[in-house]
Amino acid sequence: MNVPEEQENTIIWTLDPETPEASLLVEAGRLIRDGQLIAFPTETVYGLGANALDSAAVAKIFIAKGRPSYNPLIVHVVGAAMRQELVADWPEKAAKLADAFWPGPLTLILPKTSLVPDNVTAGGHTVAIREPANPIARGLISAANVPIAAPSANRSNEISPTLAKHVRRGLSGRIHGIIDGGACSAGIESTVIDLSGATPRILRPGPISQHMLEEIIGPVETTSGHLVPGHLPSPGMLAKHYSPRTQTVMRPLSAITGITGNRVVVSHIPVQCACRVIDLTDHPAEYARRIYAVLHELDQQAYEQIVIIEPPNTPDWAGIHDRLTRASHQGE
Ligand code: TXA
Ligand code: MG
């Protein structure tokens, strides 16, 4: 039996991501059912989970994160039966996308049933649902035997966690437990697509690209540009979101020679610079897997500024480009 560690009253369990210990999942699942908050790994980022059918448990998520109540949550399910209870309509396009990409990093917005508490959807008539692939996430949902509402397990407006230690830094002492299942494989949050309107619309780009979606269901719109609070199809569209505390800017490669002083440069291609350079790969999936951990680490150090060299603005990089733009947005 794995002996849990305790940090400021937050229990930390370490689980093998491929073959998670069933007895621990049963225990954590029971805690979720009982209304506790448990952070757990998914293939995208760590989530902060609560029983999605229990509005009091869901309310604790907003408090622990400092999340505004107008920002709705994603509900994580395993299997068709659990999903059917939550959505009032399951259009053909939803079925096709779920067949193609579930379990995986795609979130579908659909009309909700009355079973879904209002605070999960921020009072709206639609619910965001996703079936995750990570074996720990799946084991936890199955053990709890309830759908799990889970935003990313960070304080509101900070960057998402891709390792358990990132969750610990942000939420230790504020939540019941953290399941440490190692690094998240996709590294950025799921693609969110709204299927509740006439034309499918991407609200948040992510690991499943527009092209991949269009291959399955035909034309898909993308929400572009920044939106303002109060008029958000998806509050994750706020210009500033997912930011390190250290001032972070994005610059074209041509600006490299002017970058000096106590700065650190994050680049997708090798560069020569008077500052420390973190060389990330030019492969978008690998870059996505690593970028948040790099930003978390650099944020622990006393740099005056983090300078990110702008990666290509091509479809393959859309999810990354979106997150970097938000991370480097100046002002609120
Ligand atoms: O990969 C992910 O999606 C991770 C893991 C844990 O699953 N979760 C995640 O959750 O990123 P969160 O809360 O950080 O982001 C959820 C996004 C937000 O932008 C939220 O506004 C949007 O989904 N969203 C949730 N419900 C919605 C709804 N009914 N309509 C429109 N947007 C919604
Ligand atoms: Mg988030």
Side-chain angles (χ1 to χ4, degrees), residues 3-13 168 172-173 176-177:
V3 181
E5 206 184 313
E6 209 172 291
Q7 266 226 348
E8 299 173 29
N9 301 321
T10 295
I11 302 168
I12 297 164
W13 300 278
R168 215 160 69 194
S172 197
H176 194 93

Side-chain angles (χ1 to χ4, degrees), residues 30 36 53 72 81 96 104 139 160 172 179 185 188 193 232 255 281 307 312 322:
R30 182 182 53 75
Q36 303 293 348
L53 305 181
K96 284 183 170 171
S160 293
S172 197
I179 302 177
S185 57
I188 60 170
I193 183 168
L232 307 174
T281 153
V307 182
D322 171 82

Side-chain angles (χ1 to χ4, degrees), residues 15-89:
L15 260 74
D16 179 342
E18 295 311 318
T19 53
E21 202 176 312
S23 63
L24 278 178
L25 290 174
V26 167
E27 184 186 341
R30 182 182 53 75
L31 288 164
I32 290 273
R33 259 192 102 85
D34 288 352
Q36 303 293 348
L37 301 186
I38 308 279
F40 61 97
T42 81
E43 68 276 25
T44 57
V45 300
Y46 274 73
L48 177 58
N51 179 351
L53 305 181
D54 175 351
S55 64
V58 169
K60 292 183 188 172
I61 291 179
F62 289 89
I63 294 167
K65 281 188 58 115
R67 183 180 180 103
S69 60
Y70 61 72
N71 195 354
L73 306 176
I74 296 174
V75 181
H76 298 70
V77 298
V78 169
M82 207 179 260
R83 176 257 300 163
Q84 275 159 9
E85 290 187 339
L86 306 174
V87 300
D89 187 26

Side-chain angles (χ1 to χ4, degrees), residues 7 11 27 35 90 106 156 170 211 214 228 248 284 304 326 332:
Q7 266 226 348
I11 302 168
E27 184 186 341
W90 186 245
L106 179 68
S156 198
H211 177 73
E214 288 185 331
V228 286
T248 302
E304 187 183 313
R326 293 174 206 289
E332 291 309 310

